[in-house]
Amino acid sequence: MNSNVQFVKTLLKYTFGLVPIVAGLDKFTNILTNWSQYISEGLAGLLPLESTTFMMIVGVIEIIAGILVLTKTKIGAYVVSAWLTAIALTLIFSWTYVDVAVRDLVMAIGAFSLAKLSQEGVGK
């Protein structure tokens, strides 16, 4: 059973480490999608900078969060879980891309699960 727990931890670690890094890098290129479309008009109006610049800042945060998962898994997983929850709540409150919000909440649960699995003594 311990080898299964270790396999799951490793799989989640690389998933929640690499995916935020890729998504963060894509904030600079928009190859996967136009990330600015996910900013509601209300939020965009409140920003003191352009939406594309804001998304680049978000990208840097995501890259850091992914690196944190890869290097300090427990804390990084909590950060990614909180980050995904915040994104989901923003989408829900603006009632846009609710399908993405639901997906992000499910991913947040997965990241939270990784954090719990990364506690001392789990899977050893």
Side-chain angles (χ1 to χ4, degrees), residues 37-122:
Q37 72 181 326
Y38 295 107
I39 300 175
S40 69
E41 290 181 21
L43 177 59
L46 296 173
L47 294 175
L49 38 88
E50 294 292 321
S51 294
T52 53
T53 305
F54 175 75
M55 291 311 287
M56 288 180 186
I57 294 168
V58 167
V60 169
I61 294 167
E62 289 174 338
I63 292 166
I64 292 168
I67 291 169
L68 198 55
V69 170
L70 295 173
T71 59
K72 299 200 179 288
T73 303
K74 182 180 173 185
I75 188 70
Y78 280 127
V79 168
V80 169
S81 180
W83 184 253
L84 287 165
T85 300
I87 292 169
L89 291 174
T90 301
L91 294 172
I92 289 168
F93 289 142
S94 67
W95 205 249
T96 57
Y97 300 101
V98 178
D99 58 326
V100 175
V102 170
R103 182 211 57 206
D104 283 357
L105 285 174
V106 171
M107 288 173 45
I109 292 167
F112 182 80
S113 298
L114 172 60
K116 297 306 273 182
L117 284 172
S118 298
Q119 291 179 348
E120 293 297 317
V122 175

Side-chain angles (χ1 to χ4, degrees), residues 9-27 32 35 59-71 73 76-77 80 84 107 111 114:
K9 283 172 51 176
T10 302
L11 183 62
L12 291 172
K13 175 182 176 176
Y14 285 103
T15 298
F16 289 107
L18 296 176
V19 170
I21 292 170
V22 169
L25 289 171
D26 196 56
K27 300 298 190 292
L32 299 174
W35 293 98
V60 169
I61 294 167
E62 289 174 338
I63 292 166
I64 292 168
I67 291 169
L68 198 55
V69 170
L70 295 173
T71 59
T73 303
V80 169
L84 287 165
M107 288 173 45
L114 172 60

